[in-house]
């Protein structure tokens, strides 16, 4: 009896330890998938000090050397523990329409111009009807907007926008958004791993070089995001096929993660069987 109870206690402790580490492991698995596709810019919002939100590691050859900083100086960075699409992604930037909470790159970004690129992020909006910016590079070269047409997440540029067929989201849910732009100004969009047919109003603008990036708003506080954003990444498509490249990035939505419930049950069940046999 003594041996069995000790084994059960040990099993429970092992399950608890596994559960405590599963969030970090899942977040790492997702980041590994992103980094394998060599983003030019990548902000995972998992670490930071003194008002800084770290970018996370950059892909091979990436030009990004900038962190993001709260527009209004503060002593703490804005984070919120979140889980999206079944994968624990660690912390997120919880902007929540707080004046000054938008996140500015420290100086202009150092990456070069991209005629073909893909933008990827997770978004959880508290309000999908109010007009707001998700991000902006320079002066809409490009920008991501929400609420200007229903609850649609659009890519808005100085030469065209993705328009009324853009991904449609609902408030209070995490959504994985991927939008690709071709060198001819064409666009491809995905919502939660599924392609969304979009019809841009005009050629979408290339990604301008040497501009300031703002995540969670634009350069004006009234446009600030009403919600949280996570895992913001930008990729250079280069000479690759846009459709193939965008589909590969959209597949990050399906990054496999451990199943906490089933693993816990198997672990505990296995230990109980061992205890029974040792009586």
């Amino acid at each position: 009896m003594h041996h069995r109870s000790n084994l059960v206690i040990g099993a429970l402790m092992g399950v608890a330890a596994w559960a405590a580490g599963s969030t970090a492991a899942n977040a790492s698995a997702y980041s590994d998938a992103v980094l394998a596709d060599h983003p030019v810019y990548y902000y995972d919002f998992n670490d930071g000090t003194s008002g800084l939100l770290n970018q996370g590691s950059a892909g091979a050859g990436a030009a990004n050397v900038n962190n993001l900083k709260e527009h209004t100086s503060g002593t703490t960075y804005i984070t919120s523990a979140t889980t999206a699409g079944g994968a624990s992604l660690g912390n997120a930037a919880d902007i929540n329409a707080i004046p000054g909470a938008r996140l500015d790159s420290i100086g202009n970004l150092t990456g070069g111009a991209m005629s073909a690129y893909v933008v990827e992020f997770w978004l959880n909006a508290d309000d999908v009807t109010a007009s707001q910016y998700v991000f902006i590079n320079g002066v809409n070269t490009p920008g991501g907007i929400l609420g200007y047409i229903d609850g649609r997440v659009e890519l808005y540029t100085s030469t065209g926008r993705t328009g009324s067929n853009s991904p449609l989201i609902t408030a209070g849910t995490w959504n994985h958004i991927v939008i690709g732009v071709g060198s001819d100004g064409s666009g491809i969009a995905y919502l939660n791993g599924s392609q969304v047919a979009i019809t841009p109003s005009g050629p979408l603008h290339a990604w301008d070089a040497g501009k300031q990036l703002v995540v969670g708003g634009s350069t004006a506080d009234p446009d600030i995001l009403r919600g949280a954003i996570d895992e913001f990444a930008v990729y250079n498509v280069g000479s690759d096929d846009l459709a193939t490249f965008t589909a590969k990035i959209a597949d990050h939505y399906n990054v496999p993660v451990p199943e906490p419930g089933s693993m816990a049950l198997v672990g505990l069940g296995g230990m109980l069987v061992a205890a029974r046999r040792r009586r």
Side-chain angles (χ1 to χ4, degrees), residues 54 65 96 98 119 123 139 166 192 205 247 277:
N54 290 350
V65 295
N96 199 27
I98 301 170
V119 182
L123 179 64
V139 182
S166 300
N192 297 332
H205 200 285
R277 287 176 177 172

Side-chain angles (χ1 to χ4, degrees), residues 219-246:
T219 53
D221 274 342
D223 296 325
I224 200 164
L225 177 67
R226 291 160 171 77
I229 188 169
D230 199 10
E231 305 292 338
F232 182 88
V234 182
Y235 306 82
N236 188 353
V237 176
S239 59
D240 291 350
D241 177 72
L242 177 66
T244 302
F245 193 98
T246 308

Side-chain angles (χ1 to χ4, degrees), residues 123 125 127-134 144-155 161 163 166-169 223-226:
L123 179 64
D127 183 351
V128 299
T129 60
S131 300
Q132 55 201 288
Y133 266 80
V134 179
I145 59 175
L146 168 65
Y148 285 80
I149 302 177
D150 303 322
R152 298 190 182 275
V153 181
E154 300 179 71
L155 192 73
R161 60 194 290 185
S166 300
L168 178 65
I169 66 172
D223 296 325
I224 200 164
L225 177 67
R226 291 160 171 77

Side-chain angles (χ1 to χ4, degrees), residues 19-263:
S22 63
T23 295
N26 292 353
S28 176
Y30 184 88
S31 291
D32 288 346
V34 171
L35 293 173
D37 290 319
H38 309 304
V40 177
Y41 307 115
Y42 176 39
Y43 300 91
D44 61 15
F45 308 122
N46 286 339
D47 305 291
T49 57
S50 301
L52 293 178
L53 286 163
N54 290 350
Q55 64 193 24
S57 301
N64 185 15
V65 295
N66 294 26
N67 284 343
L68 295 180
K69 184 176 178 64
E70 292 178 41
H71 176 70
T72 300
S73 61
T75 57
T76 59
Y77 55 97
I78 304 167
T79 59
S80 176
T82 58
T83 302
S88 176
L89 304 178
N91 293 329
D94 191 4
I95 307 301
N96 199 27
I98 301 170
R102 67 180 192 267
L103 307 166
D104 302 347
S105 63
I106 304 172
N108 293 341
L109 293 181
T110 56
M114 293 177 278
S115 59
Y117 58 92
V118 172
V119 182
E120 173 189 31
F121 52 88
W122 287 86
L123 179 64
N124 189 339
D126 298 326
D127 183 351
V128 299
T129 60
S131 300
Q132 55 201 288
Y133 266 80
V134 179
F135 74 92
I136 192 170
N137 179 66
V139 182
N140 294 319
T141 57
I145 59 175
L146 168 65
Y148 285 80
I149 302 177
D150 303 322
R152 298 190 182 275
V153 181
E154 300 179 71
L155 192 73
Y156 182 88
T157 75
S158 56
T159 53
R161 60 194 290 185
T162 53
S164 59
N165 291 326
S166 300
L168 178 65
I169 66 172
T170 57
T173 60
W174 278 103
N175 294 274
H176 184 234
I177 309 292
V178 175
I179 300 178
V181 174
S183 56
D184 59 354
S186 60
I188 299 175
Y190 281 79
L191 172 63
N192 297 332
S194 298
Q195 187 170 355
V196 178
I198 56 174
T199 53
S201 61
L204 300 173
H205 200 285
W207 187 281
D208 269 1
K211 303 295 184 180
Q212 186 174 43
L213 173 67
V214 178
V215 175
S218 72
T219 53
D221 274 342
D223 296 325
I224 200 164
L225 177 67
R226 291 160 171 77
I229 188 169
D230 199 10
E231 305 292 338
F232 182 88
V234 182
Y235 306 82
N236 188 353
V237 176
S239 59
D240 291 350
D241 177 72
L242 177 66
T244 302
F245 193 98
T246 308
K248 178 174 63 171
I249 302 305
D251 196 45
H252 292 166
Y253 178 76
N254 298 310
V255 170
V257 297
E259 294 289 343
S262 61
M263 290 188 71

